[in-house]
């Protein structure tokens, strides 16, 4: 049904919906977080082709609307209101694997789980984030921290080229060999790229799974698999858990150490009780994982006896992200907070834990809030950063091997405010060691802080370049940008 207030629906050759302004927006646009949904958007357009994206841009200009492109709908702070054109890229789903060139070409709406599975079915992998429901483009625009950081660096470092539709309605193929403003756009898109244009398609490098020498999932299942060891500790064992997490800095290239403060999930014996989770995953052969000092430390009986539970599994490669499925639930007030850290001391990690206990005790609806830490080997990030291609990309602090990820999750707005304050305070504590070493605080643009802004995003020079590129490519703010000055 055409809305008399909107002009030019005849421009649109693809599916679109004009929502009833009184409809419940969270129901209409189910997404990871209900925060910042003021009301339904003016229109929801689902392009089938890049030409449809060009038409949507013309339509937005005609009606004075702001475009918010969406992929996996797992971003945390996208504002939706009556002047928004919600560009749902769900139909841009093609995935084409080019084994000869060791590249994959895919559409701007592809989800992580689909890319991961299609590649692994063909014996390949690339750098992807740890949630199947997250959009691949949404994550690489923020750099894309992954479980294969130690092997192939962040997602953005595997990006070969991008096909974009600009605010002027031009379609461009851009990559490291582009020049001038187009190269500048490509570089910003790889690391701080949200809110500049629509990425209609991507080409990324892919890597043979055989290069990882993974062990089979079991004696009856030859699927390549990841060694994964998890220990769950009571709060009384915080010292041992923290020491085990920080004992190997950096861990071996194929290893990820993930440490988390959370509360037991509903329906389990530990429901609502604070727990500490320590997981080691190894993207290499199991024998190598268990023989490495870091892997062996997680099997050490003196650590195991302090844990409530200790478990080792071989996770078939296509299922590596299945463990985080519960975190993909839509709805509620959710957001993320993150920091990139070079040095982390046990006392500061424990101080952050004490704050976590206090805030989740005080606000029972925050029980699903989690504070996680990733310890990985940053040598590949550093190495790539020395290449001409890597130097240009918008990834800073390449030598920082710790990544903190706070998941704020609650139902009440008052709790949300308290959690924001908690994460700010806790993050400042975690950054104290870097501060002592003279390093500036850095966040991760892909895991945007609640009400993202641009605090601690980039150094002054890169921020100025970000503003210049914004002005050049999105000067009249057709696209909503989280990094507006
Ligand atoms: C459960 C969970 C786990 C996560 N794990 C990781 C992780 O392991 N590593 C990591 O680095 N990050 C992780 N993230 C953060 C995630 O990468 C970002 O939130 C990402 O921006 C989400 O992308 P999306 O497409 O799902 O979300 P959306 O809300 O659809 O989009 C997010 C942003 O990307 C833009 N965007 C999306 N697609 C396009 C496109 N095709 N063209 C132009 N702009 C586009 C949107 O405009 C918006 O600004 C995680 C998030 C969640 C909720």
């Amino acid at each position: 049904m055409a809305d008399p207030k909107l002009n030019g629906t005849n421009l649109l050759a693809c599916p679109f919906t004009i929502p009833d302004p009184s409809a419940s927006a969270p129901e209409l646009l189910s997404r990871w977080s209900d925060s910042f949904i003021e009301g339904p958007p003016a229109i929801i357009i689902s392009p089938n082709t890049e030409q449809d994206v060009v038409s949507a841009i013309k339509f937005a200009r005609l009606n004075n609307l702001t475009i918010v492109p969406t992929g996996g709908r797992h971003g945390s702070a996208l504002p939706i209101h009556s002047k928004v054109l919600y560009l749902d890229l769900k139909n841009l789903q093609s995935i084409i694997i080019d084994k000869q060139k060791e590249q994959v070409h895919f559409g701007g709406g592809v989800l992580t789980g689909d890319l991961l599975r299609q590649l692994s079915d063909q014996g390949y992998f690339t750098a992807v984030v740890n949630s199947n429901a997250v959009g691949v483009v949404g994550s690489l625009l923020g750099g894309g921290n992954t479980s294969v950081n130690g092997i192939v660096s962040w997602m953005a470092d595997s990006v070969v080229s991008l096909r974009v539709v600009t605010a002027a309605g031009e379609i461009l193929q851009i990559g490291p060999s582009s020049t001038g403003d187009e190269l500048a756009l490509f570089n910003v898109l790889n690391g701080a790229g949200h809110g500049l244009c629509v990425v209609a398609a991507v080409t990324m490098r892919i890597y043979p799974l055989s290069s990882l020498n993974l062990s089979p999932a079991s004696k009856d299942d030859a699927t390549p698999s990841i060694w994964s060891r998890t220990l769950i500790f009571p709060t009384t064992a915080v010292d041992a858990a923290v020491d085990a997490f920080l004992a190997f800095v950096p861990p071996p290239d194929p290893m990820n150490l993930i440490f988390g403060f959370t509360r037991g999930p509903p329906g389990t014996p530990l429901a609502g009780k604070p727990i500490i989770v320590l997981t080691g995953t190894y993207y290499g052969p199991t024998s190598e994982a268990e023989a490495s000092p870091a892997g062996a430390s997680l099997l050490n009986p003196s650590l195991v006896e302090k844990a409530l539970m200790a478990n080792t599994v071989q996770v078939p490669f296509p299922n590596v992200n299945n463990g985080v499925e519960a975190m993909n639930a839509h709805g509620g007030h959710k957001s993320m907070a993150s920091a990139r850290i070079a040095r982390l001391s046990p006392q500061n990690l424990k101080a952050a834990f004490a704050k976590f206990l206090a805030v989740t005790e005080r606000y029972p609806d925050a029980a699903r809030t989690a504070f996680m830490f990733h310890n990985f080997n940053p040598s590949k990030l550093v190495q790539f950063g020395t290449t001409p291609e890597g130097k240009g990309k918008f990834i800073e602090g390449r030598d920082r091997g710790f990544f903190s990820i706070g998941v704020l999750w609650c139902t009440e707005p008052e709790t949300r405010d308290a959690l924001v304050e908690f994460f700010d305070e806790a993050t400042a504590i975690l950054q104290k060691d870097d501060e002592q070493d003279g390093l500036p605080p850095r966040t991760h643009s892909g895991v945007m802080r609640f009400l993202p802004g641009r605090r601690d995003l980039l150094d002054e020079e890169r921020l100025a370049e970000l503003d210049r590129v914004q002005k050049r490519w999105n000067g009249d703010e057709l696209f909503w940008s989280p990094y507006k000055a």
Side-chain angles (χ1 to χ4, degrees):
M1 183 187 66
D3 183 323
K5 292 193 288 304
L6 291 174
N7 301 313
T9 46
N10 58 322
L11 291 171
L12 305 173
C14 61
F16 68 90
T17 316
I18 297 173
D20 175 348
S22 62
S24 154
E27 274 172 34
L28 190 71
L29 300 174
S30 171
R31 64 180 195 170
W32 189 66
S33 172
D34 285 343
S35 289
F36 299 106
I37 305 186
E38 263 175 38
I43 188 167
I44 302 168
I45 301 180
S46 309
N48 291 321
T49 64
E50 55 193 25
Q51 278 305 331
D52 291 338
V53 176
V54 175
S55 304
I57 287 171
K58 284 188 189 141
F59 183 86
R61 292 201 175 284
L62 203 57
N63 292 285
N64 205 16
L65 302 174
T66 300
I67 299 180
V68 176
T70 60
R73 293 173 287 153
H74 268 49
S76 27
L78 275 69
I80 305 295
H81 50 76
S82 61
K83 294 301 284 176
V84 160
L85 185 162
Y86 186 95
L87 194 66
D88 186 346
L89 299 169
K90 65 181 178 193
N91 297 334
L92 303 184
Q93 283 297 335
S94 81
I95 300 179
I96 299 164
I97 299 169
D98 182 339
K99 292 187 183 178
Q100 207 101 41
K101 288 192 177 158
E102 297 205 324
Q103 291 179 350
V104 61
H105 312 281
F106 56 90
V110 166
L111 301 182
T112 298
D114 294 329
L115 184 62
L116 173 73
R117 275 186 291 268
Q118 289 208 29
L119 284 176
S120 63
D121 285 353
Q122 298 291 320
Y124 285 89
F125 73 98
T126 191
V128 289
V129 301
N130 73 358
S131 156
N132 285 336
V134 165
V136 183
V137 173
S139 47
L140 71 82
L141 292 177
N145 181 63
T146 81
S147 296
V148 288
N149 288 348
I151 295 169
V152 295
S153 184
W154 274 16
M155 287 178 79
D157 283 344
S158 285
V159 172
V160 174
S161 65
L162 299 170
R163 195 161 171 88
V164 303
V165 186
T166 68
E170 296 164 284
I171 299 172
L172 305 174
Q173 183 79 28
I174 52 175
S177 55
S178 298
T179 53
D181 284 351
E182 293 186 12
L183 176 61
L185 176 62
F186 177 75
N187 282 335
V188 175
L189 285 171
N190 283 284
H194 303 99
L196 270 168
C197 57
V198 176
V199 177
V202 180
T203 300
M204 271 177 90
R205 277 183 271 277
I206 57 173
Y207 312 91
L209 264 177
S210 58
S211 64
L212 299 177
N213 286 319
L214 298 176
S215 303
S218 70
K219 61 179 177 11
D220 305 317
D221 180 358
T223 312
S225 65
I226 301 302
W227 179 84
S228 176
R229 168 100 177 137
T230 297
L231 298 114
I232 297 182
F233 297 94
T235 54
T236 47
V238 65
D239 289 340
V242 165
D243 289 348
F245 175 62
L246 296 176
F248 297 90
V249 180
D253 289 352
M255 180 165 263
N256 299 281
L257 289 164
I258 315 283
F259 185 76
F261 304 136
T262 184
R263 287 181 177 259
T268 66
L270 294 165
K273 298 216 167 52
I275 50 173
I276 300 166
V277 183
L278 175 61
T279 298
T281 62
Y282 199 85
Y283 282 65
T286 296
S287 53
E288 197 179 285
E290 298 194 343
S292 71
S297 75
L298 302 180
L299 297 158
N300 191 324
S302 69
L303 181 67
V304 174
E305 71 183 15
K306 298 187 178 72
L308 298 166
M309 189 216 93
N311 191 15
T312 310
V313 285
Q314 291 294 139
V315 185
F317 198 87
N319 303 347
V320 283
N321 285 347
N322 290 9
V324 276
E325 211 46 58
M327 224 174 254
N328 289 327
H330 281 196
H333 290 300
K334 296 204 206 86
S335 185
M336 289 199 156
S338 74
R340 312 233 9 248
I341 297 167
R343 185 162 72 84
L344 196 50
S345 65
Q347 57 275 28
N348 287 338
L349 196 46
K350 283 184 260 181
F353 179 49
K355 282 198 167 284
F356 169 85
L357 286 181
V359 76
T360 53
E361 188 72 41
R362 176 147 180 222
Y363 298 93
D365 68 307
R368 293 170 89 176
T369 291
F371 207 175
M372 291 170 289
F373 303 86
H374 184 187
N375 172 6
F376 62 90
N377 192 321
S379 59
K380 287 288 182 307
L381 271 102
V382 172
Q383 209 176 308
F384 202 80
T386 61
T387 66
E389 184 183 330
K391 264 191 195 127
K393 293 188 175 181
F394 264 48
I395 298 175
E396 288 197 353
R398 281 178 173 271
D399 55 349
R400 300 186 185 195
F402 287 109
F403 193 94
S404 75
I405 311 138
V407 179
L408 290 70
W409 190 336
C410 62
T411 50
E412 302 303 321
E414 187 201 339
T415 310
R416 181 180 68 184
D417 297 344
L419 287 173
V420 171
E421 200 179 314
F422 152 66
F423 274 106
D424 276 353
E425 287 174 9
T427 302
I429 293 173
L430 296 165
Q431 288 167 327
K432 274 187 184 163
D433 298 296
D434 281 354
E435 194 183 330
Q436 272 176 16
D437 297 343
L439 293 177
R442 279 289 172 267
T443 185
H444 171 221
S445 60
V447 176
M448 287 185 264
R449 181 184 168 268
F450 189 81
L451 278 177
R454 47 199 272 164
R455 202 180 66 181
D456 304 337
L457 191 65
L458 298 161
D459 64 27
E460 288 303 317
E461 200 183 320
R462 276 211 167 89
L463 276 181
E465 174 66 355
L466 175 66
D467 290 342
R468 193 190 70 77
V469 169
Q470 267 288 346
K471 206 163 163 205
R472 164 65 182 86
W473 293 102
N474 188 32
D476 56 0
E477 296 178 20
L478 181 75
F479 296 105
W480 172 77
S481 163
Y483 316 126
K484 200 163 161 272

